[in-house]
Amino acid sequence: MSKILLLEDDANLNETVTEFLEEQGYEVVSVYDGYEAQEKLYESKYDLLLLDINVPGIDGLELLKESREEGVVAPAIYITSMDSVDDLEKGFNSGCDDYIRKPFALKELHIRVETLLKRSFFHESKDLIQISENIDYNVKNNELVIDGESTSLGNKESKLLKLFMKAEGEIISHERIYGHLWDFDEEPSDTALRTYIKNLRKIIGKERIVSIKKQGYKLSTEK
């Protein structure tokens, strides 16, 4: 069951959207202001964010921008009455993947939600993502496919690989990895992180995960 965070300060619309999405089989956590949404993002992981822009507290734009900087990678849809090109540019620059203008049909919202969730973490519609000539990653079941054989990953290793693949070639700081791998009630551990890195290197190759001294790690999929 996909988990959605809904930020909408209009009580009626919030309730309507929540009930509709729950009827479609989603788990919905609904909030009414930006600070509450910020707290929820800190406490838990979500598969998709549905954010109104003009809300009390921190607005949806700033909320998503800060969340992206903290390592939140869930796809995001803005609910907005804004319609200028500049407004849309701000929205996409802050890290959103799609937007829907008020007033909207619930069916349209469902289509947009489904489309992003199908693309999953990688914003791609295909199930297999190539890491190297003989290694692919299966998005749907979190399995590595090596020479045609499936290899399951542990939960943390799977999350870590997803993060690396999302930011391929980009140096990912230790802090960002901590925020992505460990929930708020878990204590991050550098020793554990090195173990997860070691486990992944054993499977996909030591050269694929590059350690950058005092900065972090990056994934290389160069052939």
Side-chain angles (χ1 to χ4, degrees), residues 153-165:
L153 292 174
N155 181 50
K156 293 288 199 254
E157 285 86 355
S158 178
K159 286 183 176 181
L160 183 57
L161 181 58
K162 283 184 177 182
L163 180 59
F164 277 135
M165 295 182 70

Side-chain angles (χ1 to χ4, degrees), residues 8-27:
E8 172 56 64
D9 65 326
D10 182 304
N12 289 331
L13 182 57
N14 188 309
E15 183 178 352
T16 297
V17 170
T18 297
E19 289 181 355
F20 173 75
L21 291 175
E22 287 178 343
E23 287 173 357
Q24 308 310 310
Y26 301 109
E27 177 185 353

Side-chain angles (χ1 to χ4, degrees), residues 8-220:
E8 172 56 64
D9 65 326
D10 182 304
N12 289 331
L13 182 57
N14 188 309
E15 183 178 352
T16 297
V17 170
T18 297
E19 289 181 355
F20 173 75
L21 291 175
E22 287 178 343
E23 287 173 357
Q24 308 310 310
Y26 301 109
E27 177 185 353
V28 182
V29 175
S30 65
V31 294
Y32 297 87
D33 68 73
Y35 291 126
E36 190 178 2
Q38 198 172 44
E39 184 177 328
K40 295 296 183 183
L41 282 169
Y42 175 74
E43 292 176 352
S44 185
K45 302 289 192 301
Y46 295 88
D47 297 297
L48 185 136
L49 312 178
L50 194 54
L51 309 173
D52 189 4
I53 293 179
N54 293 317
V55 294
I58 180 174
D59 66 39
L61 290 171
E62 190 62 28
L63 171 68
L64 184 58
K65 182 180 178 182
E66 290 184 4
S67 297
R68 292 294 189 230
E69 291 172 354
E70 292 295 322
V72 174
V73 294
I77 300 174
Y78 278 140
I79 303 172
T80 179
S81 55
M82 299 177 179
D83 58 6
S84 75
V85 174
D86 287 343
D87 290 332
L88 295 180
E89 183 179 23
K90 287 179 183 177
F92 284 107
N93 285 342
S94 68
C96 85
D97 300 271
D98 199 1
Y99 67 93
I100 186 168
R101 290 196 183 101
K102 297 178 181 180
F104 54 84
L106 292 173
K107 184 176 180 179
E108 179 186 356
L109 175 64
H110 188 213
I111 291 171
R112 293 180 183 276
V113 167
E114 280 281 279
T115 298
L116 280 184
L117 286 174
K118 284 178 180 177
R119 290 176 186 170
S120 189
F121 190 95
F122 306 99
H123 296 185
E124 296 190 29
S125 57
K126 58 186 179 182
D127 294 341
L128 290 178
I129 308 297
Q130 187 175 45
I131 295 177
S132 66
E133 289 184 1
N134 68 319
I135 301 177
D136 296 292
Y137 183 74
N138 190 309
V139 176
K140 283 192 172 181
N141 57 16
N142 295 334
E143 284 185 341
L144 279 172
V145 181
I146 303 175
D147 295 324
E149 296 291 327
S150 294
T151 301
S152 297
L153 292 174
N155 181 50
K156 293 288 199 254
E157 285 86 355
S158 178
K159 286 183 176 181
L160 183 57
L161 181 58
K162 283 184 177 182
L163 180 59
F164 277 135
M165 295 182 70
K166 172 68 177 178
E168 179 189 342
E170 176 185 337
I171 298 174
I172 307 175
S173 69
H174 295 91
E175 290 73 21
R176 183 176 174 188
I177 294 175
Y178 291 154
H180 184 74
L181 258 62
W182 281 273
D183 289 329
F184 81 105
D185 57 347
E186 296 179 319
E187 185 68 32
S189 165
D190 189 54
T191 301
L193 174 57
R194 287 198 296 268
T195 298
Y196 302 141
I197 293 288
K198 183 179 179 180
N199 291 343
L200 279 181
R201 282 174 168 165
K202 284 181 179 178
I203 298 172
I204 68 175
K206 185 176 181 180
E207 74 283 357
R208 296 294 173 191
I209 301 176
V210 182
S211 177
I212 310 299
K213 190 174 182 180
K214 295 183 179 180
Q215 295 186 56
Y217 299 91
K218 71 174 182 179
L219 175 71
S220 172

